[in-house]
Amino acid sequence: MDRGLVLIENTDSHADLLREAREHALGADADLVLLVTLTEDEFEETQEVLDTIGDVEHTSYTEQDAFRGAVNDAEEVAREVFGTDDEVSYDIVPRIASEKERAETVIEVAEAEGADHVFILGRNRSPTGKALFGDLAQFVILNFDGYVTLHTE
């Protein structure tokens, strides 16, 4: 069976990307891996906010807490796109990576999960942004040994 990896990001276009991956999965009898990446900055910002609140329930914000939240968000998007009775099966894989490491993380997870197709969002980035952070789509297209579908926002 074929397997596709979908990078779910915190954007409004992730549902469109997931719909595209769903159509492919149905046509190819494939299952999907939904990769949710949190940046280290997002994780640390949430940690700081919760620390300043001083809530007894959130005395320490761990990677497990971050992963649980990310998986819940991805599950919500998947339910929105797939519904409850969909024929597409999927797993959700959360990771924390720096902005620079995200592209490498996509390829590492795709290879570990046996994906032969990657679905990612393309974004317009300034030349300075590309120089500082690299271009995720370009890196994946050049370094992934399989098909890459790029959905532009």
Side-chain angles (χ1 to χ4, degrees):
M1 177 181 273
D2 292 331
R3 193 164 177 106
L5 180 131
V6 184
L7 176 61
I8 303 293
E9 298 181 280
N10 190 15
T11 69
D12 293 333
S13 298
H14 56 259
D16 291 337
L17 179 68
L18 200 52
R19 282 185 196 91
E20 197 167 329
R22 177 187 178 274
E23 291 303 313
H24 168 77
L26 288 172
D29 191 29
D31 59 345
L32 298 173
V33 175
L34 310 183
L35 173 61
V36 184
T37 60
L38 303 167
T39 66
E40 291 169 344
D41 290 341
E42 291 169 329
F43 174 71
E44 290 169 3
E45 285 174 21
T46 303
Q47 236 177 0
E48 288 174 16
V49 167
L50 290 175
D51 286 345
T52 60
I53 294 173
D55 186 350
V56 175
E57 292 181 32
H58 296 101
T59 54
S60 66
Y61 183 69
T62 65
E63 283 187 9
Q64 290 297 97
D65 296 325
F67 288 162
R68 195 172 14 263
V71 167
N72 287 340
D73 291 345
E75 191 70 49
E76 185 176 321
V77 174
R79 274 194 307 272
E80 172 189 321
V81 172
F82 298 153
T84 54
D85 299 339
D86 208 307
E87 300 169 23
V88 176
S89 65
Y90 61 91
D91 297 310
I92 300 174
V93 176
R95 291 289 187 273
I96 294 178
S98 71
E99 185 70 27
K100 289 183 179 183
E101 296 170 336
R102 287 179 69 235
E104 293 169 2
T105 300
V106 170
I107 291 175
E108 288 170 7
V109 172
E111 290 173 352
E113 294 289 332
D116 57 355
H117 198 134
V118 172
F119 297 83
I120 54 177
L121 287 174
R123 43 171 104 145
N124 295 324
R125 207 174 248 199
S126 70
T128 304
K130 287 180 182 179
L132 289 174
F133 301 113
D135 186 65
L136 184 135
Q138 181 181 12
F139 185 89
V140 172
I141 289 168
L142 293 174
N143 293 288
F144 180 66
D145 189 27
Y147 298 104
V148 177
T149 296
L150 181 65
H151 181 85
T152 55
E153 298 181 87

